[in-house]
Amino acid sequence: MDIVLQQLVNGLTLGSVYGLIAIGYTMVYGIIGMINFAHGDVYMVSAYITAIAIALLTFFGIESFPIIIIGTLFLTVAVTGAYGWVIERVAYRPLRNSSRLSVLISAIGMSLILQNYVQLSQGANQQGVPTLLTGAIRFSVGDGFVQITYMKLLILLISLLGMGVLTYVIQKTKLGRMCRATQQDRKMASILGIDTDKVISTVFVIGAMMAALAGVLITLDYGAFDFYVGFIIGIKAFTAAVLGGIGSLPGAMLGGLILGLSEALFAGLISSDYKDVFSFSLLVLILIIRPSGLLGKPEVEKV
């Protein structure tokens, strides 16, 4: 029983991070109908920026954990958001009216550029950051116990806060109304005076910022990363987006939580060696059984 509860805790933490990254996939798809395959590498870039931000803050003599975490979040989210803007301007906007295959090739090319750029500038060896937050809460369960580290609590808190703020922005603000209008009908939104190019760029920036939020949290928790870390977690976040319904913001959050819980339970109760195989098998199964996802709507071809 204690193993199941422990894996549920781990799964909630992992799922909340998957959900943050999946938001980037689902928002871009909802707006332009394309998958940003460079999104996982945006997460990877945010991990390196996290390490650089921590190094800069400590270099200037800042030792307070709250200041370090807030400063790191601010710097990483801002710089990674700029990466998202550049990706849209370079890899997507020039090909917006081209075939889907051209955009797909451009996105894959951007992914390879980011990987090689980081490899050449930061080195191919695995990097790491020191542990900044230690300690845990333990609950006795039968003959065992369930442990929740303070870092995992922080991940859950910041993830839920980030999702809540984004939901409010999309549902209640002028920017959110413009995003939803552009998603429903880009041409009509443009006719009504909405700068759809600006909206699309903003969506790429928001998606990158959510990936940066996940990058900071996971980097602080695990402590190690390399230039290839974005591929696996990017595919898993894409699986979460498909599971919840690609294009659906609540679906991305739900899909992330379901995938995180499923993967953690599979790793804890069956085998951790095949948890990645399980995740990718789940993606194939979803595409076969329900391509539109749990909360997604089947696409109707426009005539």
Side-chain angles (χ1 to χ4, degrees):
M1 185 62 180
D2 58 317
I3 296 177
V4 174
L5 290 176
Q6 183 65 64
Q7 293 307 113
L8 286 175
V9 170
N10 297 337
L12 284 173
T13 306
L14 188 61
S16 64
V17 172
Y18 286 159
L20 287 175
I21 304 173
I23 286 171
Y25 284 109
T26 205
M27 288 188 70
V28 169
Y29 183 85
I31 291 290
I32 63 175
M34 300 290 181
I35 300 298
N36 180 14
F37 282 105
H39 191 59
D41 295 291
V42 172
Y43 160 85
M44 176 270 295
V45 168
S46 73
Y48 280 87
I49 298 173
T50 298
I52 293 171
I54 292 173
L56 284 174
L57 291 172
T58 52
F59 176 78
F60 287 107
I62 298 175
E63 297 180 354
S64 171
F65 176 77
I67 297 177
I68 290 178
I69 189 66
I70 292 172
T72 300
L73 282 170
F74 177 80
L75 289 172
T76 305
V77 167
V79 175
T80 308
Y83 271 89
W85 182 83
V86 170
I87 288 172
E88 192 276 331
R89 293 300 296 263
V90 173
Y92 280 87
R93 183 172 295 190
L95 301 173
R96 191 168 296 164
N97 298 319
S98 301
S99 66
R100 288 176 176 262
L101 182 60
S102 299
V103 179
L104 174 64
I105 293 172
S106 178
I108 294 174
M110 180 56 68
S111 173
L112 294 173
I113 288 172
L114 288 175
Q115 286 184 21
N116 285 275
Y117 158 68
V118 171
Q119 182 183 10
L120 291 173
S121 62
Q122 303 297 323
N125 295 330
Q126 191 175 68
Q127 308 289 333
V129 297
T131 302
L132 300 178
L133 182 62
T134 58
I137 302 173
R138 289 188 175 186
F139 301 95
S140 297
V141 179
D143 295 331
F145 64 88
V146 175
Q147 177 175 285
I148 307 175
T149 65
Y150 293 143
M151 192 65 232
K152 281 185 168 54
L153 286 175
L154 183 65
I155 290 174
L156 286 171
L157 177 63
I158 295 179
S159 297
L160 292 176
L161 182 62
M163 292 178 182
V165 170
L166 181 60
T167 301
Y168 174 82
V169 169
I170 297 299
Q171 297 295 330
K172 301 294 184 181
T173 66
K174 181 180 179 180
L175 173 61
R177 289 191 293 271
M178 290 192 296
C179 288
R180 286 183 279 124
T182 304
Q183 178 180 6
Q184 291 174 10
D185 194 323
R186 195 193 315 169
K187 290 183 179 179
M188 183 57 68
S190 181
I191 292 172
L192 294 174
I194 295 175
D195 188 346
T196 55
D197 285 339
K198 184 177 180 180
V199 170
I200 293 171
S201 293
T202 303
V203 165
F204 270 84
V205 171
I206 292 174
M209 291 170 72
M210 299 304 287
L213 201 59
V216 172
L217 297 174
I218 288 296
T219 302
L220 291 176
D221 188 28
Y222 286 88
F225 52 90
D226 57 33
F227 71 97
Y228 202 64
V229 71
F231 176 75
I232 294 295
I233 198 167
I235 294 295
K236 289 183 179 179
F238 175 67
T239 302
V242 173
L243 173 59
I246 192 76
S248 169
L249 190 60
M253 302 175 186
L254 177 63
L257 291 174
I258 291 176
L259 179 63
L261 288 169
S262 301
E263 184 179 314
L265 289 172
F266 183 89
L269 301 178
I270 301 177
S271 173
S272 61
D273 295 333
Y274 298 99
K275 60 184 179 66
D276 292 341
V277 175
F278 170 77
S279 299
F280 301 143
S281 300
L282 185 61
L283 172 60
V284 174
L285 190 63
I286 294 163
L287 292 173
I288 293 173
I289 297 176
R290 189 176 174 84
S292 60
L294 297 176
L295 301 183
K297 297 179 181 179
E299 287 193 5
V300 178
E301 187 176 351
K302 296 180 181 180
V303 295

